[in-house]
Amino acid sequence: MIMNHLPFLTIDPATRSVSLDGRDPAFYSDPNRAYAALHAACPTFYWQEQKLWFFTGYDRVNSLLRDRRFGRQILHIATREELGMPEPAAHTRHFDAAEAHSLLELEPPEHTRLRTLVNRAFVSRHVERMKPEIEDLANRLIDGFEKDGKVELLSAFADIIPVTMIARMIGIPEEMGPQLLKWSHDYVGMYMFKRSRADEDAADRSAKEFADYVRGMIADRRANPREDLLSHMIHTEHKGQLLTEDELISTTIVLLNAGHEATVHQIGNSVRVILESGLDPAAMFQDETATSRTVEETLRICAPVHIFDRYCLEPAEIDGIAFKRGDKVGMILAAANLDPLKFADPLRFKPERDEAPNLSFGAGIHFCIGAPLARLELNIVLPLLFKRLPGLKLAGQPKVKDVYHFHGLERLDLSW
């Protein structure tokens, strides 16, 4: 047994067995150190606390995300009895119903049908049209706090932009923003390592309220269609089929959650890593190419979503590990972004870096549908912040939220 120099991490390279408490603040505050240690000792490892095999190597994660022997769903090809899987919990039935037709949780052919109907709205050329709106909103928010000389960036800026833009896109009134944020925060609590019964109850309650609200919006758009994504999803056929009400609810909820939660984290993470680097922001944002590279480098080194799980759909062997149907595997996207075989000096923030593409948005059929929108928002709001607020600096030690396997800040106090 080898004790790692990190007190919260124990690695046995001989058995590829790892003990790591995902709820330890020393870990989730700076997970990159642990990922570096795992790359050095065993990039494929069995995480004792999670009771799962995990992969961190870039090529391994990249290929697994595209490997059709693995999928997000398993009950389309096997029963709970066959897999020894417990029955769903009664106290999360509303959450489970909202997830039942989620794009994130489906495999073809259902995934293909849903994604085809939604995809058109998210392709780059459609998203590009939102550029003036994003710029206008960001400028108006900065106008509101510029004279103060200080700001808590998440509540005054980062929280507002992504939820406003995705709500506009879908066709939900902007004044619903604060309520959408509350529902979303409760909802994604189901995916966190610190999840408790109270978190599950909150997620279920919010899932029901969220679904009821979306159901009312659907009824309104059936009667009064508009030029928005919700109307498009209701009235557009794919191979002669319309989306069912349950599919519309699940899809709307997943788009709202995914459309802002990760981007909020990423705006905060990016500003923090830029300011802590001590490098000149003016050089990072001198033109579109420099800006794009800076954004991609922040996505690489401080990704907002760290883990993506999949089920084994048929017997497979990966890196010498045999998996049978129904086994779950974990891919640590944020660790793959730090693979020293792909990235020179991987723990260093280098905005001019031009190496492999980061895997922060995933890959394969579940590649993040909102990636073009998230990238556009980041490429607009980050340069704008540093241009409008010269002398921007940290006004206190940023505190990382206890939301692993997401990665974001509790608050980000800045001054200028």
Side-chain angles (χ1 to χ4, degrees):
M1 181 74 70
I2 291 184
M3 283 296 293
N4 191 267
H5 64 281
L6 300 172
F8 52 82
L9 176 65
T10 307
I11 301 173
D12 182 355
T15 60
R16 298 198 276 187
S17 182
V18 166
S19 174
L20 170 61
D21 179 4
R23 295 194 55 189
D24 188 328
F27 166 62
Y28 68 71
S29 294
D30 185 10
N32 289 2
R33 293 183 301 156
Y35 298 156
L38 290 164
H39 277 301
C42 50
T44 298
F45 67 94
Y46 184 78
W47 192 336
Q48 293 168 16
E49 287 81 357
Q50 302 307 316
K51 298 182 171 55
L52 279 189
W53 281 93
F54 280 82
F55 298 88
T56 66
Y58 183 97
D59 288 339
R60 200 80 68 187
V61 169
N62 194 22
S63 66
L64 263 170
L65 288 167
R66 304 164 194 272
D67 192 329
R68 301 305 302 133
R69 295 174 300 172
F70 294 83
R72 291 290 288 174
Q73 230 181 342
I74 187 65
L75 294 176
H76 62 312
I77 60 164
T79 65
R80 287 181 178 275
E81 293 74 31
E82 284 176 295
L83 299 168
M85 197 183 277
E87 288 300 310
H91 71 282
T92 57
R93 66 187 183 281
H94 297 109
F95 175 85
D96 292 338
E99 285 284 273
H101 303 282
S102 163
L103 269 171
L104 278 172
E105 306 299 334
L106 294 177
E107 289 299 303
E110 287 84 1
H111 178 270
T112 312
R113 184 168 67 93
L114 278 172
R115 184 144 182 153
T116 303
L117 278 170
V118 177
N119 206 38
R120 198 179 73 176
F122 285 91
V123 294
S124 297
R125 67 179 180 277
H126 283 271
V127 168
E128 280 291 329
R129 294 177 195 159
M130 300 175 76
K131 191 172 180 178
E133 290 180 62
I134 298 168
E135 282 177 344
D136 178 61
L137 177 58
N139 274 311
R140 279 193 289 118
L141 291 172
I142 295 169
D143 288 344
F145 56 71
E146 183 183 20
K147 63 186 178 307
D148 301 335
K150 62 175 187 174
V151 71
E152 194 292 292
L153 193 75
L154 303 187
S155 56
F157 189 80
D159 272 345
I160 300 167
I161 292 172
V163 74
T164 303
M165 297 319 299
I166 195 69
R168 278 186 198 174
M169 202 171 179
I170 291 170
I172 288 175
E174 283 177 41
E175 56 269 24
M176 282 298 293
Q179 181 61 67
L180 294 173
L181 283 171
K182 186 198 174 302
W183 283 335
S184 178
H185 289 331
D186 288 346
Y187 197 94
V188 300
M190 288 293 281
Y191 300 106
M192 294 168 195
F193 278 27
K194 73 176 180 72
R195 185 174 116 189
S196 63
R197 174 61 191 254
D199 292 324
E200 291 173 354
D201 290 339
D204 199 65
R205 190 168 55 248
S206 284
K208 182 183 186 307
E209 291 173 11
F210 210 159
D212 288 346
Y213 175 75
V214 173
R215 194 174 283 112
M217 290 292 301
I218 291 166
D220 177 70
R221 289 301 190 278
R222 284 196 198 283
N224 310 292
R226 297 187 192 174
E227 287 295 313
D228 56 35
L229 181 53
L230 187 54
S231 300
H232 165 76
M233 291 194 298
I234 291 168
H235 297 283
T236 304
E237 294 182 2
H238 176 65
K239 296 186 177 174
Q241 281 186 298
L242 291 165
L243 292 184
T244 66
E245 179 145 302
D246 287 343
E247 286 173 335
L248 286 163
I249 290 168
S250 282
T251 305
T252 303
I253 288 176
V254 78
L255 290 175
L256 278 162
N257 287 344
H260 80 270
E261 192 82 30
T263 312
V264 171
H265 290 329
Q266 193 57 37
I267 292 170
N269 293 349
S270 298
V271 171
R272 176 195 182 177
V273 79
I274 288 166
L275 290 175
E276 287 184 341
S277 74
L279 300 171
D280 179 14
M284 293 183 211
F285 301 117
Q286 61 186 323
D287 55 35
E288 282 188 16
T289 302
T291 297
S292 176
R293 281 194 180 163
T294 299
V295 166
E296 294 306 310
E297 176 66 348
T298 66
L299 282 162
R300 183 194 71 82
I301 203 164
C302 52
V305 180
H306 281 211
I307 291 175
F308 198 60
D309 290 339
R310 297 179 83 197
Y311 287 103
C312 184
L313 305 180
E314 60 182 78
E317 186 179 305
I318 311 288
D319 197 11
I321 315 296
F323 296 102
K324 63 183 187 302
R325 188 168 76 158
D327 285 346
K328 231 178 180 185
V329 299
M331 290 152 285
I332 309 186
L333 309 178
N337 288 340
L338 303 173
D339 189 338
L341 300 177
K342 283 285 170 191
F343 304 97
D345 200 1
L347 294 190
R348 197 163 137 244
F349 173 65
K350 296 199 285 189
E352 73 287 355
R353 193 186 290 274
D354 185 18
E355 294 169 311
N358 67 72
L359 294 177
S360 299
F361 293 112
I365 67 164
H366 286 287
F367 179 79
C368 175
I369 201 166
L373 177 58
R375 282 191 160 114
L376 182 67
E377 288 170 341
L378 291 163
N379 275 272
I380 290 170
V381 306
L382 292 176
L384 205 52
L385 269 173
F386 285 95
K387 183 181 169 190
R388 290 279 314 268
L389 306 170
L392 196 60
K393 60 180 185 288
L394 296 172
Q397 178 62 32
K399 186 175 178 229
V400 177
K401 253 181 171 176
D402 181 8
V403 292
Y404 192 84
H405 66 100
F406 298 98
H407 184 68
L409 299 173
E410 196 81 61
R411 54 184 295 132
L412 183 59
D413 292 290
L414 304 174
S415 62
W416 53 93

